[in-house]
Amino acid sequence: LGLLFHALGRNDEAQQHMRRASELWTDLDERHRMASSTERFGFTYLDQGRADLAIEHFTRALSGYREVGEQRSVGLALISIGRALIESGRFTEAIPTLQEARTELGTLETPDPYNHARALLALGRAETGAGDWAAAESHLADTLAAMQAVESPLGEADVYWALAELYASSGDRAQAREYFQRTLVLLTELGNPGVSRVH
């Protein structure tokens, strides 16, 4: 229920259900689930524009995942921290966090190519913000190939969007427009609410 309300953008209601879920996991002493609940609070705070509070919750979740040895969850929490740092404009600080996420998710016993690509995508966005456009372009090209390989149209749209932001930042408006247009086509096909933001 918490995740559903979060998906609907009703984050105050989402937090009420997440708080109850957290209490239940605590009663059951399910430490991995307790950390997961903490991370999900971070998602709602990030949506509300409260990035510092989101980072606090993501960092606490990361600590919990490390305590129970959940490598995949560690990698995902590092992506969450990186995303929140990007939203805060702390691009240079996000880069090593996202490099670590890429390492964690790239060395799993059971490969997770989609989330490894997500780490690379976030890294490219951080590098764009930091003005390292060559590194960002290289990483985003690799991400696009990975998203196409796992057949994720939403992931592919996210990469197009990141490439559009890269070219807009570097002053290549024609390329930026082309990639925003590609993003728009894919998101329209998917019925994704991001269409209005791309416009």
Side-chain angles (χ1 to χ4, degrees):
L1 278 169
L3 290 173
L4 173 60
F5 281 117
H6 168 60
L8 293 170
R10 293 160 60 178
N11 286 300
D12 288 337
E13 292 167 272
Q15 288 164 9
Q16 294 174 24
H17 292 286
M18 289 177 177
R19 191 168 293 109
R20 180 58 182 144
S22 181
E23 292 168 355
L24 292 169
W25 291 127
T26 300
D27 289 345
L28 293 167
D29 197 30
E30 289 277 359
R31 292 167 62 204
H32 183 210
R33 296 294 188 178
M34 288 157 60
S36 180
S37 287
T38 301
E39 185 177 14
R40 286 169 177 160
F41 270 107
F43 297 146
T44 65
Y45 291 130
L46 192 58
D47 270 10
Q48 292 173 328
R50 303 162 75 184
D52 287 345
L53 200 51
I55 291 168
E56 176 189 325
H57 281 75
F58 293 149
T59 302
R60 282 172 45 203
L62 175 62
S63 178
Y65 292 142
R66 282 181 167 149
E67 284 178 10
V68 296
E70 287 285 347
Q71 183 181 352
R72 180 176 178 276
S73 295
V74 164
L76 295 177
L78 287 165
I79 293 176
S80 296
I81 293 169
R83 286 180 53 226
L85 289 169
I86 290 168
E87 292 300 315
S88 301
R90 295 156 64 182
F91 304 110
T92 303
E93 193 177 341
I95 289 171
T97 299
L98 292 164
Q99 288 171 332
E100 185 181 356
R102 180 180 61 169
T103 299
E104 291 286 353
L105 292 165
T107 57
L108 293 172
E109 188 173 335
T110 301
D112 186 350
Y114 172 72
N115 281 305
H116 182 253
R118 285 184 60 234
L120 201 57
L121 171 62
L123 177 59
R125 291 187 63 224
E127 290 164 338
T128 294
D132 191 350
W133 296 319
E137 189 171 37
S138 174
H139 286 139
L140 291 174
D142 290 344
T143 308
L144 181 59
M147 289 298 187
Q148 289 170 339
V150 298
E151 300 181 352
S152 172
L154 182 56
E156 190 174 340
D158 285 340
V159 183
Y160 287 149
W161 199 332
L163 284 165
E165 291 173 340
L166 164 65
Y167 291 122
S169 297
S170 63
D172 190 339
R173 292 175 179 270
Q175 280 281 73
R177 178 179 289 275
E178 178 186 335
Y179 278 102
F180 275 128
Q181 187 62 44
R182 292 189 190 185
T183 308
L184 189 62
V185 168
L186 271 178
L187 292 185
T188 300
E189 289 175 358
L190 294 167
N192 188 284
V195 165
S196 60
R197 285 181 58 208
V198 179
H199 273 300

